Amino acid sequence: MKSLFAHLTAVLVVLLSFAALVYAAAPEVIKLEARQGVVTFSHAKHAALEGLTCKTCHHEMKGETVEKKCSDCHKQKAQNNIPTMKTAAHKQCRGCHKQIKKGPTNKCKECHVKVKK
């Protein structure tokens, strides 16, 4: 019994350590450049939401870490049946916010903020 408890404790420590490393590697705030203005959101808040996993947004993840940024595949012009960044973000982000009936969904300025230069 003592051995089982020791093994379970060790597994829990490894899992929590791994989760802490993955979480620590992710930026606190994400800024997406767009023609309508910069979209800024808290990665930490979204990552902590119940029911979401990394793959909810990072749909092309193969392992336990994010290999690419969204814009690595989603360009300003659609290519090879891959939607543009705008189309993908509106479908993914707005779609989720509409589904949960919370957060920005209708007005561009709810997400897009023009940065003064």
Side-chain angles (χ1 to χ4, degrees), residues 28-40:
E28 171 70 28
V29 174
I30 304 292
K31 291 185 179 195
L32 303 173
E33 299 288 332
R35 280 186 274 153
Q36 293 294 327
V38 178
V39 176
T40 304

mmCIF file with all atom_site columns, all heavy atoms in Angstrom, residues 28-40:
data_model
loop_
_atom_site.group_PDB
_atom_site.id
_atom_site.type_symbol
_atom_site.label_atom_id
_atom_site.label_alt_id
_atom_site.label_comp_id
_atom_site.label_asym_id
_atom_site.label_entity_id
_atom_site.label_seq_id
_atom_site.pdbx_PDB_ins_code
_atom_site.Cartn_x
_atom_site.Cartn_y
_atom_site.Cartn_z
_atom_site.occupancy
_atom_site.B_iso_or_equiv
_atom_site.pdbx_formal_charge
_atom_site.auth_seq_id
_atom_site.auth_comp_id
_atom_site.auth_asym_id
_atom_site.auth_atom_id
_atom_site.pdbx_PDB_model_num
ATOM 1   N N   . GLU A 1 28 ? 1.676   35.242 -21.381 1.00 0.00 ? 28 GLU A N   1
ATOM 2   C CA  . GLU A 1 28 ? 0.511   35.677 -20.605 1.00 0.00 ? 28 GLU A CA  1
ATOM 3   C C   . GLU A 1 28 ? -0.528  36.324 -21.513 1.00 0.00 ? 28 GLU A C   1
ATOM 4   O O   . GLU A 1 28 ? -1.717  36.068 -21.407 1.00 0.00 ? 28 GLU A O   1
ATOM 5   C CB  . GLU A 1 28 ? 0.962   36.676 -19.522 1.00 0.00 ? 28 GLU A CB  1
ATOM 6   C CG  . GLU A 1 28 ? -0.154  37.368 -18.777 1.00 0.00 ? 28 GLU A CG  1
ATOM 7   C CD  . GLU A 1 28 ? -0.947  36.475 -17.851 1.00 0.00 ? 28 GLU A CD  1
ATOM 8   O OE1 . GLU A 1 28 ? -0.394  35.485 -17.355 1.00 0.00 ? 28 GLU A OE1 1
ATOM 9   O OE2 . GLU A 1 28 ? -2.128  36.775 -17.633 1.00 0.00 ? 28 GLU A OE2 1
ATOM 10  N N   . VAL A 1 29 ? -0.059  37.186 -22.405 1.00 0.00 ? 29 VAL A N   1
ATOM 11  C CA  . VAL A 1 29 ? -0.943  37.938 -23.287 1.00 0.00 ? 29 VAL A CA  1
ATOM 12  C C   . VAL A 1 29 ? -0.557  37.666 -24.741 1.00 0.00 ? 29 VAL A C   1
ATOM 13  O O   . VAL A 1 29 ? 0.619   37.626 -25.078 1.00 0.00 ? 29 VAL A O   1
ATOM 14  C CB  . VAL A 1 29 ? -0.852  39.453 -22.993 1.00 0.00 ? 29 VAL A CB  1
ATOM 15  C CG1 . VAL A 1 29 ? -1.635  40.268 -23.994 1.00 0.00 ? 29 VAL A CG1 1
ATOM 16  C CG2 . VAL A 1 29 ? -1.334  39.744 -21.575 1.00 0.00 ? 29 VAL A CG2 1
ATOM 17  N N   . ILE A 1 30 ? -1.561  37.485 -25.576 1.00 0.00 ? 30 ILE A N   1
ATOM 18  C CA  . ILE A 1 30 ? -1.355  37.278 -27.011 1.00 0.00 ? 30 ILE A CA  1
ATOM 19  C C   . ILE A 1 30 ? -1.806  38.538 -27.739 1.00 0.00 ? 30 ILE A C   1
ATOM 20  O O   . ILE A 1 30 ? -2.862  39.093 -27.432 1.00 0.00 ? 30 ILE A O   1
ATOM 21  C CB  . ILE A 1 30 ? -2.184  36.085 -27.529 1.00 0.00 ? 30 ILE A CB  1
ATOM 22  C CG1 . ILE A 1 30 ? -1.879  34.817 -26.762 1.00 0.00 ? 30 ILE A CG1 1
ATOM 23  C CG2 . ILE A 1 30 ? -2.005  35.902 -29.031 1.00 0.00 ? 30 ILE A CG2 1
ATOM 24  C CD1 . ILE A 1 30 ? -0.519  34.251 -26.977 1.00 0.00 ? 30 ILE A CD1 1
ATOM 25  N N   . LYS A 1 31 ? -0.991  38.978 -28.707 1.00 0.00 ? 31 LYS A N   1
ATOM 26  C CA  . LYS A 1 31 ? -1.357  40.123 -29.543 1.00 0.00 ? 31 LYS A CA  1
ATOM 27  C C   . LYS A 1 31 ? -1.313  39.681 -30.990 1.00 0.00 ? 31 LYS A C   1
ATOM 28  O O   . LYS A 1 31 ? -0.286  39.247 -31.479 1.00 0.00 ? 31 LYS A O   1
ATOM 29  C CB  . LYS A 1 31 ? -0.397  41.293 -29.321 1.00 0.00 ? 31 LYS A CB  1
ATOM 30  C CG  . LYS A 1 31 ? -0.532  41.912 -27.957 1.00 0.00 ? 31 LYS A CG  1
ATOM 31  C CD  . LYS A 1 31 ? 0.333   43.136 -27.817 1.00 0.00 ? 31 LYS A CD  1
ATOM 32  C CE  . LYS A 1 31 ? 0.122   43.721 -26.428 1.00 0.00 ? 31 LYS A CE  1
ATOM 33  N NZ  . LYS A 1 31 ? 0.620   45.058 -26.318 1.00 0.00 ? 31 LYS A NZ  1
ATOM 34  N N   . LEU A 1 32 ? -2.455  39.794 -31.652 1.00 0.00 ? 32 LEU A N   1
ATOM 35  C CA  . LEU A 1 32 ? -2.557  39.431 -33.055 1.00 0.00 ? 32 LEU A CA  1
ATOM 36  C C   . LEU A 1 32 ? -2.722  40.701 -33.878 1.00 0.00 ? 32 LEU A C   1
ATOM 37  O O   . LEU A 1 32 ? -3.660  41.465 -33.672 1.00 0.00 ? 32 LEU A O   1
ATOM 38  C CB  . LEU A 1 32 ? -3.762  38.508 -33.289 1.00 0.00 ? 32 LEU A CB  1
ATOM 39  C CG  . LEU A 1 32 ? -3.786  37.206 -32.484 1.00 0.00 ? 32 LEU A CG  1
ATOM 40  C CD1 . LEU A 1 32 ? -5.104  36.479 -32.688 1.00 0.00 ? 32 LEU A CD1 1
ATOM 41  C CD2 . LEU A 1 32 ? -2.623  36.321 -32.886 1.00 0.00 ? 32 LEU A CD2 1
ATOM 42  N N   . GLU A 1 33 ? -1.786  40.911 -34.801 1.00 0.00 ? 33 GLU A N   1
ATOM 43  C CA  . GLU A 1 33 ? -1.845  42.090 -35.667 1.00 0.00 ? 33 GLU A CA  1
ATOM 44  C C   . GLU A 1 33 ? -2.932  41.887 -36.709 1.00 0.00 ? 33 GLU A C   1
ATOM 45  O O   . GLU A 1 33 ? -3.033  40.823 -37.313 1.00 0.00 ? 33 GLU A O   1
ATOM 46  C CB  . GLU A 1 33 ? -0.503  42.291 -36.365 1.00 0.00 ? 33 GLU A CB  1
ATOM 47  C CG  . GLU A 1 33 ? 0.668   42.529 -35.420 1.00 0.00 ? 33 GLU A CG  1
ATOM 48  C CD  . GLU A 1 33 ? 0.643   43.895 -34.763 1.00 0.00 ? 33 GLU A CD  1
ATOM 49  O OE1 . GLU A 1 33 ? 0.101   44.849 -35.351 1.00 0.00 ? 33 GLU A OE1 1
ATOM 50  O OE2 . GLU A 1 33 ? 1.167   44.002 -33.637 1.00 0.00 ? 33 GLU A OE2 1
ATOM 51  N N   . ALA A 1 34 ? -3.750  42.916 -36.914 1.00 0.00 ? 34 ALA A N   1
ATOM 52  C CA  . ALA A 1 34 ? -4.802  42.863 -37.921 1.00 0.00 ? 34 ALA A CA  1
ATOM 53  C C   . ALA A 1 34 ? -4.999  44.254 -38.504 1.00 0.00 ? 34 ALA A C   1
ATOM 54  O O   . ALA A 1 34 ? -4.705  45.254 -37.848 1.00 0.00 ? 34 ALA A O   1
ATOM 55  C CB  . ALA A 1 34 ? -6.096  42.354 -37.297 1.00 0.00 ? 34 ALA A CB  1
ATOM 56  N N   . ARG A 1 35 ? -5.508  44.311 -39.737 1.00 0.00 ? 35 ARG A N   1
ATOM 57  C CA  . ARG A 1 35 ? -5.725  45.616 -40.379 1.00 0.00 ? 35 ARG A CA  1
ATOM 58  C C   . ARG A 1 35 ? -6.718  46.471 -39.600 1.00 0.00 ? 35 ARG A C   1
ATOM 59  O O   . ARG A 1 35 ? -6.601  47.690 -39.566 1.00 0.00 ? 35 ARG A O   1
ATOM 60  C CB  . ARG A 1 35 ? -6.216  45.436 -41.813 1.00 0.00 ? 35 ARG A CB  1
ATOM 61  C CG  . ARG A 1 35 ? -5.067  45.125 -42.766 1.00 0.00 ? 35 ARG A CG  1
ATOM 62  C CD  . ARG A 1 35 ? -5.536  45.087 -44.189 1.00 0.00 ? 35 ARG A CD  1
ATOM 63  N NE  . ARG A 1 35 ? -6.033  43.732 -44.441 1.00 0.00 ? 35 ARG A NE  1
ATOM 64  C CZ  . ARG A 1 35 ? -6.952  43.403 -45.317 1.00 0.00 ? 35 ARG A CZ  1
ATOM 65  N NH1 . ARG A 1 35 ? -7.507  44.314 -46.068 1.00 0.00 ? 35 ARG A NH1 1
ATOM 66  N NH2 . ARG A 1 35 ? -7.328  42.162 -45.468 1.00 0.00 ? 35 ARG A NH2 1
ATOM 67  N N   . GLN A 1 36 ? -7.690  45.871 -38.981 1.00 0.00 ? 36 GLN A N   1
ATOM 68  C CA  . GLN A 1 36 ? -8.702  46.611 -38.228 1.00 0.00 ? 36 GLN A CA  1
ATOM 69  C C   . GLN A 1 36 ? -8.212  47.045 -36.848 1.00 0.00 ? 36 GLN A C   1
ATOM 70  O O   . GLN A 1 36 ? -8.909  47.752 -36.145 1.00 0.00 ? 36 GLN A O   1
ATOM 71  C CB  . GLN A 1 36 ? -9.973  45.763 -38.068 1.00 0.00 ? 36 GLN A CB  1
ATOM 72  C CG  . GLN A 1 36 ? -10.689 45.500 -39.351 1.00 0.00 ? 36 GLN A CG  1
ATOM 73  C CD  . GLN A 1 36 ? -11.250 46.782 -39.953 1.00 0.00 ? 36 GLN A CD  1
ATOM 74  O OE1 . GLN A 1 36 ? -11.641 47.699 -39.245 1.00 0.00 ? 36 GLN A OE1 1
ATOM 75  N NE2 . GLN A 1 36 ? -11.254 46.857 -41.263 1.00 0.00 ? 36 GLN A NE2 1
ATOM 76  N N   . GLY A 1 37 ? -7.025  46.604 -36.458 1.00 0.00 ? 37 GLY A N   1
ATOM 77  C CA  . GLY A 1 37 ? -6.465  46.921 -35.152 1.00 0.00 ? 37 GLY A CA  1
ATOM 78  C C   . GLY A 1 37 ? -5.983  45.665 -34.456 1.00 0.00 ? 37 GLY A C   1
ATOM 79  O O   . GLY A 1 37 ? -6.381  44.551 -34.799 1.00 0.00 ? 37 GLY A O   1
ATOM 80  N N   . VAL A 1 38 ? -5.140  45.849 -33.484 1.00 0.00 ? 38 VAL A N   1
ATOM 81  C CA  . VAL A 1 38 ? -4.533  44.726 -32.762 1.00 0.00 ? 38 VAL A CA  1
ATOM 82  C C   . VAL A 1 38 ? -5.572  44.041 -31.871 1.00 0.00 ? 38 VAL A C   1
ATOM 83  O O   . VAL A 1 38 ? -6.330  44.700 -31.165 1.00 0.00 ? 38 VAL A O   1
ATOM 84  C CB  . VAL A 1 38 ? -3.341  45.212 -31.902 1.00 0.00 ? 38 VAL A CB  1
ATOM 85  C CG1 . VAL A 1 38 ? -2.745  44.066 -31.106 1.00 0.00 ? 38 VAL A CG1 1
ATOM 86  C CG2 . VAL A 1 38 ? -2.286  45.852 -32.782 1.00 0.00 ? 38 VAL A CG2 1
ATOM 87  N N   . VAL A 1 39 ? -5.592  42.721 -31.926 1.00 0.00 ? 39 VAL A N   1
ATOM 88  C CA  . VAL A 1 39 ? -6.456  41.925 -31.051 1.00 0.00 ? 39 VAL A CA  1
ATOM 89  C C   . VAL A 1 39 ? -5.577  41.406 -29.918 1.00 0.00 ? 39 VAL A C   1
ATOM 90  O O   . VAL A 1 39 ? -4.602  40.698 -30.153 1.00 0.00 ? 39 VAL A O   1
ATOM 91  C CB  . VAL A 1 39 ? -7.095  40.749 -31.815 1.00 0.00 ? 39 VAL A CB  1
ATOM 92  C CG1 . VAL A 1 39 ? -7.917  39.880 -30.875 1.00 0.00 ? 39 VAL A CG1 1
ATOM 93  C CG2 . VAL A 1 39 ? -7.932  41.260 -32.973 1.00 0.00 ? 39 VAL A CG2 1
ATOM 94  N N   . THR A 1 40 ? -5.914  41.790 -28.704 1.00 0.00 ? 40 THR A N   1
ATOM 95  C CA  . THR A 1 40 ? -5.139  41.393 -27.526 1.00 0.00 ? 40 THR A CA  1
ATOM 96  C C   . THR A 1 40 ? -6.047  40.600 -26.589 1.00 0.00 ? 40 THR A C   1
ATOM 97  O O   . THR A 1 40 ? -7.172  41.021 -26.318 1.00 0.00 ? 40 THR A O   1
ATOM 98  C CB  . THR A 1 40 ? -4.604  42.640 -26.786 1.00 0.00 ? 40 THR A CB  1
ATOM 99  O OG1 . THR A 1 40 ? -3.840  43.424 -27.707 1.00 0.00 ? 40 THR A OG1 1
ATOM 100 C CG2 . THR A 1 40 ? -3.732  42.252 -25.615 1.00 0.00 ? 40 THR A CG2 1
#
